[in-house]
Amino acid sequence: MYVNRWIDIDERWLDEHFIRASGPGGQNVNRVATAVQLRFDLASCADLTDEVKHRLQRIASGRISANGILIIDARRFRTQHANRMDARKRLRELILQAMISPRQRRRTRPSPSADRRRLEEKSRRKQIKQNRQRVSVSHTD
């Protein structure tokens, strides 16, 4: 399965099962297995780097079984072929998303003037809240 010019997934890591789908299909829905369950053996796949595998596990954590198999269900269309293409397209998109490494965070500090403004606003809020408190009146007659 072609992902991009750097990655080409060998078909041996993919396993497709066809199951009956609910939804549109008329009378055929009870007779023809049009839904596709694509299983991708992520744990043993040698076509992806460990970095990409790790990110893919994080992205698709809810779809990965205990033994490292990514399961994609495709039942959007009425035909087996369309659902098969849809499942493969979704797998390809997940892999492409996992290939993008997150940007490194650069630590920043607020400027001294921003710090000063924050503290001034804080004291202003404190004063507003203190003015809302009940005033105690002492009767000294």
Side-chain angles (χ1 to χ4, degrees):
M1 182 182 89
Y2 176 81
V3 177
N4 64 13
R5 63 182 176 180
W6 297 287
I7 295 179
D8 199 15
I9 303 292
D10 195 339
E11 290 291 324
R12 68 179 168 194
W13 308 120
L14 302 174
D15 185 27
E16 293 172 332
H17 293 284
F18 298 99
I19 53 178
R20 287 190 187 144
S22 60
Q27 294 172 347
N28 254 359
V29 80
N30 297 323
R31 293 186 292 137
V32 182
T34 55
V36 178
Q37 193 175 60
L38 177 68
R39 294 169 173 267
F40 173 53
D41 194 355
L42 180 62
S44 351
C45 179
D47 298 331
L48 297 176
T49 64
D50 289 338
E51 208 175 283
V52 172
K53 282 185 195 180
H54 181 69
R55 279 197 293 266
L56 189 55
Q57 279 179 330
R58 238 187 23 249
I59 292 169
S61 61
R63 300 181 206 162
I64 296 180
S65 68
N67 48 356
I69 294 180
L70 173 65
I71 301 169
I72 296 177
D73 280 333
R75 56 184 71 222
R76 212 182 316 184
F77 302 102
R78 289 185 182 206
T79 65
Q80 206 176 66
H81 177 71
N83 282 327
R84 190 168 176 245
M85 293 298 110
D86 183 42
R88 286 173 175 254
K89 179 183 171 209
R90 284 166 42 198
L91 175 62
R92 181 177 178 271
E93 287 169 357
L94 279 172
I95 293 171
L96 287 173
Q97 188 179 350
M99 286 179 64
I100 301 168
S101 58
R103 287 178 49 194
Q104 206 64 24
R105 184 185 179 277
R106 284 180 35 204
R107 296 183 66 180
T108 58
R109 296 194 67 198
S111 67
S113 59
D115 222 8
R116 183 181 38 76
R117 283 193 305 269
R118 180 182 62 82
L119 292 173
E120 284 172 0
E121 179 58 28
K122 206 169 167 174
S123 18
R124 249 193 312 271
R125 296 293 307 156
K126 174 185 167 189
Q127 194 60 47
I128 289 170
K129 290 182 178 193
Q130 279 180 345
N131 288 341
R132 288 183 193 154
Q133 289 178 0
R134 187 172 284 175
V135 180
S136 61
V137 179
S138 59
H139 291 58
T140 53
D141 290 319

